[in-house]
Amino acid sequence: MTPPGTEEARSLLLRGARLVGGDGSPTDVLVESGEVSSIARGITPGRGAEVVELDGRWLAPGLWDSHVHMDQWALARRRLDLSGAASAAQAASLVGERLRVDPPAAGETLVGYGFQDALWPDAPTRGVLDSVSGDVPVVLVSNDLHAAWLDSAALARYGHAGHETGLLREQAAFDVSVRVSAVDDDLLDGWVADAAAAAASRGVVGVVDLEMSYSLDRWVRRVKGGARSLRIAAGVYPADLHRVVDRGLRTGDPIEGTDGLVTMGPFKIITDGSLNTRTAWCHDPYPAVGGEPAHRGVAAYTTRELVDWLRRASSAGLVPAVHAIGDAANAMALDAFEEVGCGGGIEHAQLVDAADVDRFSRLGVVASMQPEHAMDDRDVADLLWAGRTDRAFALETLLAAGVALRLGSDAPVAPLDPWVTMAAAVSRSRDGRDPWHPEQRIVASAALAASTGGRSAVTTGSVADLVVVEADPLSVDDETMRSMPVSATLLGGRLTHGTLD
């Protein structure tokens, strides 16, 4: 049977490949009908097969990013970049400069992305933005997507006129983000296609797209329009669960009209907020910083409500993916999984109580984690989760307990680049800093398996979703891993990046 999405695949002999995870000696890999049909030295190809000399380059399973917001990633690549702002004043200065040199068209909103205010010496307020924006609506989306900072003109436009600070959190921020993300279909589809091509250039063959709005129909349109760079597992949220159930779709089902490239993904539900926004729900309170009183974060659901949602989704054949960042949120998610008795995963699992680690394993709950977040958030965690960071982003602890790991980026929160993700997991370091809690590092082979859907090596009979790289990812240093040279990416034996000549 030909694997889905391989209708253009060719018979291909990759000669002289070194298999990642193998003994390092060159071998031949034959790809037929979208699958790896043979691995051996000296394979004689059939008539019409294309022969490509890899000359000792390394061959690995194609990479997956297990947590992406594809539309938001495509949009963020074109928004005002605020990631370097070290204060509210500096962020406002960037806004002022953009308005001076490249203002939006009359009546349009200026949208920025990427600010992280947890360590700022000053507060993000509407007044700070008003001082540079005048009557132009300005919406700045936080790096974690859980907050939005608006000036007075934007507050009035998006239904929050008179808001005391201009800093919206959680659902209010999500609602504004959805509105400013509404662009022409053709324009957004083009931007997403560019982002998908960029992902393929880094060896990515598929993503789990957890965009918050209903995306299945958009992906059908995109594939029919020629977007064939990636496999997409498209998730669904509570607001649209009925639409999926009414269609009889179960997790893993191919979506009609996409040649098998798009499948039904998980049921995503958000139980708490985020670390930087100080809304991740924790057992212990956050310290009272920046004039904000001590609190434990935000729980979006009660345990009973979460149980009801998981039962409804899982009974319809949808695998739950539960967003839980704080330790209290993770405990509640595990309580719900245990009561419902279904499988699934927890997205992020950033702070996990020691008593809950074994429950992950016992219940068969997957930990879908984003190691680069630890590099972004290490200083914030040391401040807001002081005394608890030994169990923050606890990759090795979970892995040692037998928990299945899936790694991703949460793009746009971190770059859609699994090599960056794997480097952070293996080194717990970036920019030359000392490793942060090095005891939580995992070995490169585990990071690779968690970034390829569990495929630790290229094997006979497997789908020919492959990446050709210039170095052995199991032995390179952190810097090389982050910038891994990718020669080619194949999806079902079909080239989606690079050249094979």
Side-chain angles (χ1 to χ4, degrees):
M1 176 179 173
T2 300
T6 62
E7 72 292 339
E8 302 172 37
R10 53 192 168 175
S11 181
L12 182 67
L13 178 63
L14 304 175
R15 194 183 298 281
R18 287 192 285 179
L19 303 185
V20 173
D23 62 10
S25 59
T27 189
D28 298 342
V29 177
L30 183 63
V31 173
E32 297 177 302
S33 300
E35 291 186 349
V36 176
S37 60
S38 180
I39 301 174
R41 294 185 183 182
I43 293 176
T44 300
R47 178 175 297 177
E50 181 176 0
V51 179
V52 176
E53 299 292 341
L54 290 192
D55 297 322
R57 286 179 288 182
W58 295 85
L59 187 69
L63 305 178
W64 273 79
D65 190 312
S66 69
H67 188 132
V68 172
H69 302 274
M70 203 66 186
D71 289 6
Q72 291 299 314
W73 172 235
L75 288 163
R77 283 157 53 93
R78 286 164 171 79
R79 288 174 170 170
L80 174 63
D81 182 8
L82 303 169
S83 60
S87 66
Q90 187 176 3
S93 177
L94 292 171
V95 170
E97 179 65 11
R98 171 60 66 88
L99 291 174
R100 186 182 68 82
V101 301
D102 187 20
E108 293 188 0
T109 299
L110 173 65
V111 183
Y113 169 76
F115 76 89
Q116 295 177 274
D117 66 315
L119 300 177
W120 283 359
D122 52 354
T125 66
R126 64 177 183 175
V128 173
L129 287 182
D130 287 348
S131 68
V132 298
S133 65
D135 59 359
V136 177
V138 175
V139 174
L140 308 181
V141 180
S142 67
N143 177 259
D144 58 23
L145 302 174
H146 284 254
W149 177 19
L150 284 65
D151 69 352
S152 293
L155 288 166
R157 170 169 291 186
Y158 298 108
H160 296 278
H163 190 277
E164 183 177 0
T165 66
L167 186 66
L168 309 179
R169 291 187 170 104
E170 299 307 322
Q171 193 60 52
F174 297 153
D175 292 342
V176 170
S177 182
V178 167
R179 292 182 63 182
V180 299
S181 299
V183 300
D184 178 79
D185 286 347
D186 290 341
L187 187 63
L188 182 58
D189 287 354
W191 292 348
V192 169
D194 288 346
S201 76
R202 301 302 295 142
V204 178
V205 297
V207 301
V208 180
D209 183 24
L210 298 175
E211 194 63 46
M212 293 186 70
S213 56
Y214 187 73
S215 66
L216 285 176
D217 295 340
R218 293 200 299 276
W219 281 114
V220 172
R221 181 183 73 230
R222 289 165 182 168
V223 171
K224 288 182 175 179
R228 311 181 70 81
S229 298
L230 301 175
R231 302 188 190 278
I232 306 294
V236 66
Y237 285 72
D240 296 305
L241 177 60
H242 67 283
R243 301 174 67 173
V244 171
V245 173
D246 289 347
R247 291 174 62 174
L249 291 171
R250 303 166 65 90
T251 296
D253 285 350
I255 303 302
E256 186 177 354
T258 68
D259 296 324
L261 289 173
V262 181
T263 57
M264 186 66 236
F267 165 68
K268 171 76 180 297
I269 186 166
I270 298 175
T271 67
D272 70 339
S274 68
L275 171 59
N276 276 278
T277 305
R278 283 84 72 200
T279 49
W281 190 38
C282 300
H283 291 308
D284 301 301
Y286 292 92
V289 296
E292 189 174 70
H295 61 91
R296 293 176 52 212
V298 175
Y301 297 94
T302 65
T303 302
R304 177 50 46 199
E305 290 169 337
L306 182 58
V307 164
D308 290 345
W309 278 114
L310 296 197
R311 183 169 286 127
R312 180 180 175 188
S314 62
S315 65
L318 294 161
V319 175
V322 181
H323 166 116
I325 289 183
D327 49 7
N330 276 276
M332 180 175 69
L334 292 168
D335 289 343
F337 275 117
E338 188 157 22
E339 181 168 344
V340 175
C342 66
I346 290 181
E347 301 296 322
H348 308 303
Q350 288 186 5
L351 188 67
V352 177
D353 191 88
D356 288 326
V357 170
D358 287 338
R359 286 212 292 163
F360 264 92
S361 179
R362 176 168 57 82
L363 298 173
V365 174
V366 174
S368 174
M369 303 178 72
Q370 300 76 42
E372 184 70 352
H373 291 5
M375 301 300 92
D376 291 333
D377 294 345
R378 58 186 291 177
D379 297 323
V380 177
D382 284 339
L383 173 66
L384 300 181
W385 288 344
R388 291 170 278 169
T389 54
D390 60 314
R391 52 188 177 89
F393 305 91
L395 294 166
E396 174 58 24
T397 295
L398 289 163
L399 189 65
V403 179
L405 295 182
R406 292 291 180 267
L407 301 184
S409 63
D410 199 12
V413 182
L416 202 176
D417 187 337
W419 301 109
V420 169
T421 296
M422 287 187 279
V426 172
S427 72
R428 301 282 288 202
S429 178
R430 189 178 68 194
D431 301 327
R433 298 185 68 179
D434 289 339
W436 187 63
H437 287 287
E439 73 277 7
Q440 293 298 349
R441 292 179 293 197
I442 61 175
V443 297
S445 57
L448 180 65
S451 301
T452 56
R455 298 173 63 199
S456 58
V458 177
T459 57
T460 302
S462 62
V463 64
D465 290 355
L466 306 169
V467 58
V468 181
V469 293
E470 298 293 330
D472 179 7
L474 302 188
S475 62
V476 296
D477 60 24
D478 179 63
E479 183 177 349
T480 303
M481 177 81 85
R482 284 181 174 270
S483 60
M484 176 65 72
V486 175
S487 302
T489 307
L490 296 97
L491 192 152
R494 173 170 54 86
L495 197 68
T496 58
H497 164 71
T499 58
L500 291 174
D501 51 27

